[in-house]
Amino acid sequence: MVCEKCEKKLTTIEAPDKWKDGARNTTSSDKGKIGANKLLKGKKNKMNPYDTFRKCKICKCKVHQKHAHYCQGCAYKIGICAMCGKQIIDTKDLKQTS
């Protein structure tokens, strides 16, 4: 569960568009290959799985989202945003399982 404000922070895979007519990420100059994956190209975007993931503040398990403080299970149970901890839904009268 992620709030609307933190939804902008979520990472997306930058894959080339399938159709070239009206595509957003095609290049007409010789700056790079057409259809190349931009995330695999640079060193700064490489993910190191050992030091980028944090631990959940509640259950202390590894969080598999880059900027999150809570795991998805704990965020769902409590009804909070996994990234900022803001209350999204009231879980008082809901019967939730996880």
Side-chain angles (χ1 to χ4, degrees):
M1 299 180 95
V2 181
C3 64
E4 292 177 7
K5 185 182 89 176
C6 295
E7 198 170 327
K8 298 173 189 170
K9 296 178 189 176
L10 292 174
T11 58
T12 58
I13 296 175
E14 194 171 324
D17 288 339
K18 188 172 182 178
W19 307 105
K20 297 299 175 189
D21 296 333
R24 291 174 278 128
N25 57 355
T26 57
T27 56
S28 58
S29 62
D30 293 337
K31 290 181 181 177
K33 290 183 182 178
I34 294 177
N37 193 341
K38 306 292 191 257
L39 293 177
L40 297 177
K41 190 175 179 182
K43 281 187 176 181
K44 68 178 182 176
N45 291 328
K46 284 190 177 178
M47 184 187 79
N48 188 358
Y50 298 108
D51 63 0
T52 57
F53 295 131
R54 299 177 182 167
K55 290 190 175 185
C56 176
K57 289 184 177 180
I58 298 170
C59 65
K60 307 296 185 218
C61 68
K62 278 196 174 181
V63 176
H64 297 289
Q65 212 168 13
K66 196 167 186 179
H67 299 289
H69 296 286
Y70 303 98
C71 65
Q72 289 296 321
C74 293
Y76 174 74
K77 283 180 199 173
I78 302 171
I80 59 173
C81 173
M83 294 180 129
C84 64
K86 178 181 161 188
Q87 188 76 26
I88 297 174
I89 58 172
D90 185 24
T91 58
K92 183 179 174 185
D93 297 328
L94 299 176
K95 185 174 182 178
Q96 295 179 322
T97 59
S98 86

